[in-house]
Amino acid sequence: MPKKRTARPQANGASATAARSKPQLPKGLKAADLVDYYTRMVQARSLDERIWALNRQGKVPIAASSQGHEAAQLGSLLAAEKDGNCFLFPYYRDLALKVAAGLTPVQVMMSFMGKAGDPYSNGRQFPLQGADLPHKIIQISNVVAAGLTQAVGYALACRMSGDDTVVLVYFGDGATSQGETHEAMNFAAVQKLPVIFICENNRYAISTPQSSQMVLEEVASRAAAYGFPGFTVDGMDMIHCYEATREAITHARSQGPVLLEMMVERFMSHTTDDDDRRYRPEGEVERARERDPVITLGQTLLEIGILTQKKVDAIATEALRLTDEATDIADASSPPAESTLHDSVYGP
Amino acid sequence: MPKKRTARPQANGASATAARSKPQLPKGLKAADLVDYYTRMVQARSLDERIWALNRQGKVPIAASSQGHEAAQLGSLLAAEKDGNCFLFPYYRDLALKVAAGLTPVQVMMSFMGKAGDPYSNGRQFPLQGADLPHKIIQISNVVAAGLTQAVGYALACRMSGDDTVVLVYFGDGATSQGETHEAMNFAAVQKLPVIFICENNRYAISTPQSSQMVLEEVASRAAAYGFPGFTVDGMDMIHCYEATREAITHARSQGPVLLEMMVERFMSHTTDDDDRRYRPEGEVERARERDPVITLGQTLLEIGILTQKKVDAIATEALRLTDEATDIADASSPPAESTLHDSVYGP
Amino acid sequence: MAVKSVIEAVREAIREEMVRDPKVFVMGEDVGIRGGVFMATQGMIEEFGAERIIDTPLAEASIMGIALGAAFRGLRPIPEVQFSDFVWPSINQLIGEAARVCYGTNGVLQVPMVIRIPYGGGIRGGLFHSQNVETHFFHTPGLKVVAPSTPYDAKGLLKSAIRDNNPVVFLEHKKTYRLVRGEVPDQDYTLPIGKADVKRIGSKITVVSYGLTLHYCLEAAEELSAEGVDVEVVDLRTLTPLDTETVLESVKKTGKLAIVHEDNITGGVGAEIAALVADQAFEYLDGPITRICGPDVPTMPFAQTLEDAYMPTADKIAAGLRKLAAY
Amino acid sequence: MAVKSVIEAVREAIREEMVRDPKVFVMGEDVGIRGGVFMATQGMIEEFGAERIIDTPLAEASIMGIALGAAFRGLRPIPEVQFSDFVWPSINQLIGEAARVCYGTNGVLQVPMVIRIPYGGGIRGGLFHSQNVETHFFHTPGLKVVAPSTPYDAKGLLKSAIRDNNPVVFLEHKKTYRLVRGEVPDQDYTLPIGKADVKRIGSKITVVSYGLTLHYCLEAAEELSAEGVDVEVVDLRTLTPLDTETVLESVKKTGKLAIVHEDNITGGVGAEIAALVADQAFEYLDGPITRICGPDVPTMPFAQTLEDAYMPTADKIAAGLRKLAAY
Ligand SMILES: Cc1ncc(C[n+]2csc(CCOP(=O)(O)OP(=O)(O)O)c2C)c(N)n1
Ligand SMILES: Cc1ncc(C[n+]2csc(CCOP(=O)(O)OP(=O)(O)O)c2C)c(N)n1
Ligand SMILES: [Mg+2]
Ligand SMILES: [Mg+2]
């Protein structure tokens, strides 16, 4: 099982990873994996920033940013990918996860602009919502916590079908208050299902701080109420998140559910519709940005010596180029035809 | 705060109370209180048994028995009554509680037969369901766990209105699986509301054993997930239940919610519609009946010396007489007039 | 053919489909050793094991959401809601999620799931064991809704529902479970979802109904026929998709329409039938469209008097039809 | 009188009622410092404090159940559901419980509670931020349902709702929040729940609508009037109790009825209006009852094209009215 890790971001905003002395290549990973994931993370960030800008230009009606959550999302994704037999139920803030799982930048932009060819729903749903089965992802809705029982049911069906898939389901700190979260965890526990509950705890649900959401300091301690283990990890450090998830996958497959709380920071307002200056203390976001997961990962890779500054710059440049290109292509492409309105209300 | 008590009924069926050496009058209680509550308990049992028989005669469509739960119900009621400022949200199995709270046997029988004059709903609802405001009781429905959030809201409103009522809300072990139970406890915790969550744990939800309901051995340990205290008490011993509830009331009023798990036994089938022989191990009920809360309380009072066998017999005889009389009166009385069907869909 | 009750027909349909297709499974409260509170799954845990007859914790939202998630993986779950009155906690998963899955994934995911719901009153269940819940599903595109009235229809339609690739809300009227008996073929058969059935041919008035009240309509039709008014009785059997063709054809023939259901009148299924006919068979109408339905009170109360006062009975239906015939 | 938007009218109504009656309080997600996601409670936590403007955990079932419990104690809660699409988890408390409290206690308890629900589409919200949920409440005896279309109506009706002793589902169409502006009196006023409003007098066709589409109906009516067809537009304002009198009177005058709503057509509020008229004004009808409503797909999709294709627009309404006029 994963060991308990210190989790709370340090109050002074110093990077938690800074404390790790002499970073080394984590076990099970090759240098190429980390370069690959760094590249994906940079690409995701680039798209995320552009999408926000496109919203201000009126081209993207709505977006929820994953800026600040990338390490949690990509660390767990990397573990899932390395395992090779995981299925993911992300939530609306998992932009980086969904992008990194294998979408092209063009597909991402199509989705945000509501164009035909959006891989998740063909423009029917909020961006990147629906299903991306080639990358083993389902997210039916953005109703908070609605995916949890579905993920548990998926895991149940996998076991009944004789395959040993582990299901990772993602949600925020706010989602822990929903009754369905309780029901999902309890059922998974009773049935000992291979489910990893990943709480991306950014300590806010829109404007509502964690202290109005629960009395507890650590969401992870809720796992005890169901009789399975829970851990809090530094969600700003991709390698930490990778390691914790890897171990959780092993545990889940053999012994049942695990709750992983990943402490993250929401860098942007809740969505493009929100303005967080109304409710976040001044300087809080700025301090959080000092622990930017993209920069942290880049620095770690520089330190380990598997990336050079030149390569870092090249990755950034290429990401930007792909984002530009994707924006243009998506912008020029067509929305779904009106005539498709009535399609697929029912299956065949 | 109440101290942690041993709770699990002993496997060999020996009375947990038998272990208590030399029973004494519990603090805060007079001998008359105990005689009074013993009398109420005997009356409740007598009515409960008669109701079951009347169901077999086709005069009562449905009933859920509280036989085996009486100590939990009356012990907590006694504490609430002694406190003088409590409000109760019982559930469908709280027949003894509702009877002991002050209904006449005739009112009880009216309710079970669906007659006009039923104090809870005037024959509109399942027996003893609706509201009995003179006795500070509300139970809108028998939808499992639906009363919990309402109880919490009631407590919130009391505090907002400047009174220091403590709310006691009752539910079974099965109800702990409902999402609403989680939501109610979490909200009560965040707002530090004076609510006592009383789980009458009989280890069955209809046919479903506790082990299919949760991984935990003790429901009380769930309280930690919300940051408030939880205790398991022997629910077959009225005096234990009284003491635990008394202490819980003090705690709730000053510090917020408490979860009290009272370990009880369901002597009868789930309802008159059920046949528990299909799913309960042979001999289980018989063994449980060796710890009958009515007999246990009677014996304790004999031991303390505040009851004589003669008085015990007289109480039983009088209870039976009142039950007989109530049955006849209710049977002879009228159901609500058809013309009232449309009344009170809306308030004035 | 043997004569069977509705509950027997339901049980046989589930059992046969579970034998036929290993992807089918049941989950719900007390469906295991207890065999369900109405015994719809009696004996099945012994035959299929606890993995395919899953006794769940007491939590309807999770029963629905977990069944839904299992359907994503290609299984064919049959979640049971113990009583219709307890479907409310699961509505987010059923109306919010399940109904939108196929549409919201542009057809990539389908939901082959049958939600079995014992519903309805007349059994002294009071406000929380008698509810008619069909309208909420009827008004939800993406769900199919089936509400049979006879053992034959129940078995054939339940089998079709289990083989269907969409979420089907399968409504079983509790009062019909043991009361209504009828012939059921011994061999495998299915009935098409979306086809109404003319249960009695007539020429003067069309009566449309479903579930328990269908039987009261047939009684009333006999009464009227004895008085010389020949009544046609259409059993919708399926609420979604609605067989508008059969209804319109019948009304075009008779010129008069009465709709009967136990559910509250306002905004019920009957309103839609009336609206459809008032639009698409307007020229054929020889009289006002009449609804004989449950009144707008929150389900039927517990007392016998009040339950009777609520329920559309054969007498009340006959009275309504007489008035319409006289128009 | 000042010109205000719908959201301003809503905010004023809440604020004034909170000043007027200390029993009134608000609870919901982000209603505090954030002032609600639509700013309906902006500035109120500063004015009334965190005890009367309660930021709740993210859990709709508890928001509804706790509000309900508070109402039992005589308070007058205004629970906010952040978007209609998130009302589903609370349905057990709202439809299952709240609606049955008065009836189920034989009138002993009342539920003075207003459930505010921003609803509807046309705002690129997609399947989970555009839902029309009114029918589920419309079909629930025990609830009152209000759905205003203008700032004046919104303020007057919300004040009445807050003073009402019953659970009132108060539906605010999101697209009207800032788009629709109108005069609102400065002094205190209320409007009666249960009274429709004839927003345009006409003689040839009656159009019945509510909420956002009411404005599209008015546009269409102007178009048709330019073509010589004088259209009467009835704004229901309240869905329950339904003002059948005003609707029937209008239809008896014009002889033709069209019903317009954004909600899915099948089993929607329009079906009930049609059924009522087809029964009680049958002799007056000069043409088929026409419904111009949202199609039977699960709410409007995200893409602009599909959202447009879903929405009943002034053009689509005008086309329907032309056809009806020509009948
Ligand atoms: C059931 C439900 N209620 C309300 C909302 C509106 N809403 C969207 S996101 C959100 C906050 C969620 O916070 P959290 O779970 O912490 O996730 P985060 O956005 O912080 O990642 C709310 C209230 C919703 N989508 N679903
Ligand atoms: C929401 C809901 N689901 C199902 C039921 C049917 N039902 C009634 S009681 C019961 C079991 C409850 O068990 P528990 O909470 O342990 O209480 P007990 O009867 O054992 O006292 C069930 C499943 C219900 N009333 N409400
Ligand atoms: Mg959060
Ligand atoms: Mg129990």
Side-chain angles (χ1 to χ4, degrees), chain C residues 13-262:
Chain C
I14 298 172
R15 200 195 144 268
E16 289 172 20
E17 291 303 302
M18 288 196 59
V19 169
R20 185 177 170 270
D21 183 352
K23 292 193 153 67
V24 178
F25 75 99
V26 168
M27 59 186 294
E29 295 156 11
D30 306 296
V31 296
I33 314 182
R34 179 70 172 76
V37 297
F38 296 104
M39 314 305 284
T41 52
Q42 191 178 18
M44 291 194 200
I45 196 164
E46 291 82 0
E47 182 170 0
F48 300 108
E51 262 131 67
R52 290 180 69 198
I53 303 289
I54 303 176
D55 262 331
T56 65
L58 206 174
E60 285 77 9
S62 60
I63 292 173
M64 206 61 71
I66 287 162
L68 182 53
F72 294 164
R73 179 64 181 68
L75 296 192
R76 310 186 81 84
I78 312 182
E80 177 181 285
V81 176
Q82 202 166 69
F83 284 76
S84 57
D85 316 70
F86 314 139
V87 77
W88 306 122
S90 77
I91 286 296
N92 183 46
Q93 288 295 332
L94 185 43
I95 289 184
E97 302 279 313
R100 273 169 245 267
V101 167
C102 187
Y103 197 72
T105 62
N106 198 35
V108 164
L109 283 177
Q110 276 137 40
V111 179
M113 151 163 122
V114 180
I115 304 98
R116 289 188 45 251
I117 311 184
Y119 79 109
I123 43 94
R124 301 295 304 279
L127 299 186
F128 293 93
H129 284 78
S130 306
Q131 291 169 31
N132 286 85
V133 295
E134 57 266 38
T135 302
H136 299 272
F137 308 119
F138 177 63
H139 183 62
T140 303
L143 299 179
K144 295 188 177 180
V145 186
V146 177
S149 65
T150 67
Y152 175 77
D153 291 349
K155 183 167 180 186
L157 285 164
L158 183 48
K159 286 178 152 246
S160 293
I162 294 170
R163 298 181 198 179
D164 200 287
N165 285 331
N166 295 285
V168 181
V169 175
F170 196 86
L171 296 163
E172 303 163 10
H173 197 294
K174 297 194 291 285
K175 189 159 184 170
T176 67
Y177 268 156
R178 286 183 174 75
L179 197 70
V180 178
R181 301 176 61 81
E183 301 221 313
V184 176
D186 294 324
Q187 66 280 20
D188 182 45
Y189 72 100
T190 61
L191 293 172
I193 293 178
K195 279 302 294 167
D197 184 40
V198 179
K199 284 265 172 3
R200 185 184 196 284
I201 294 175
S203 57
K204 291 279 169 18
I205 299 181
T206 297
V207 181
V208 173
S209 191
Y210 57 90
L212 175 67
T213 50
L214 189 275
H215 300 283
Y216 300 156
C217 290
L218 287 170
E219 282 180 48
E222 288 310 314
E223 260 187 65
L224 264 87
S225 136
E227 299 165 17
V229 181
D230 194 19
V231 176
E232 177 144 313
V233 180
V234 178
D235 184 357
L236 289 177
R237 299 200 296 196
T238 297
L239 305 182
T240 308
L242 192 63
D243 184 356
T244 53
E245 207 178 308
T246 300
V247 172
L248 290 171
E249 246 171 53
S250 177
V251 174
K252 286 178 184 176
K253 180 174 73 173
T254 63
K256 287 183 177 172
L257 172 63
I259 307 149
V260 178
H261 57 60
E262 183 182 310

Side-chain angles (χ1 to χ4, degrees), chain B residues 141 163 180 183 341 346-347, chain D residues 62 73 93 97 103-104 143 166:
Chain B
S141 82
D163 87 48
E180 288 197 15
E183 296 187 17
L341 178 68
Y346 295 95
Chain D
S62 60
R73 180 64 181 68
Q93 288 295 332
E97 302 280 313
Y103 197 72
L143 299 179
N166 295 283

Side-chain angles (χ1 to χ4, degrees), chain A residues 89 119-122 124-125 129-131 133 138 140-163 165 180 183-184 186-188 190-191 340-348, chain C residues 25 27 50-52 54-73 75 89 92-93 96-97 99-110 140-144 164-167 240-241:
Chain A
F89 282 75
Y120 269 83
S121 76
N122 205 37
R124 286 176 167 193
Q125 288 229 52
Q129 196 167 300
L133 294 190
I138 293 176
I140 298 307
S141 82
N142 44 12
V143 176
V144 168
L148 277 86
T149 56
Q150 295 164 22
V152 170
Y154 196 94
L156 175 72
C158 286
R159 186 171 70 190
M160 287 172 76
S161 308
D163 86 49
T165 300
E180 289 198 13
E183 296 188 15
N186 187 48
F187 189 97
V190 169
Q191 290 278 343
T340 64
L341 178 68
H342 292 269
D343 296 350
S344 293
V345 176
Y346 294 94
Chain C
F25 75 99
M27 59 186 294
E51 262 131 67
R52 290 180 69 198
I54 303 176
D55 262 331
T56 65
L58 206 174
E60 285 77 9
S62 60
I63 292 173
M64 206 61 71
I66 287 162
L68 182 53
F72 294 164
R73 179 64 181 68
L75 296 192
N92 183 46
Q93 288 295 332
E97 302 279 313
R100 273 169 245 267
V101 167
C102 187
Y103 197 72
T105 62
N106 198 35
V108 164
L109 283 177
Q110 276 137 40
T140 303
L143 299 179
K144 295 188 177 180
D164 200 287
N165 285 331
N166 295 285
T240 308

Side-chain angles (χ1 to χ4, degrees), chain B residues 151-173:
Chain B
V152 169
Y154 196 93
L156 175 72
C158 287
R159 187 171 70 190
M160 287 171 76
S161 307
D163 87 48
D164 69 347
T165 300
V166 171
V167 174
L168 280 61
V169 56
Y170 296 77
F171 51 95
D173 43 307

Side-chain angles (χ1 to χ4, degrees), chain B residues 91 172-174 200-206:
Chain B
Y91 77 125
D173 43 307
E200 299 180 30
N201 185 355
N202 59 19
R203 305 182 326 284
Y204 282 96
I206 308 186

Side-chain angles (χ1 to χ4, degrees), chain C residues 286-303:
Chain C
D286 295 330
I289 300 178
T290 302
R291 286 181 292 166
I292 303 150
C293 299
D296 285 333
V297 307
T299 316
M300 59 208 81
F302 180 68

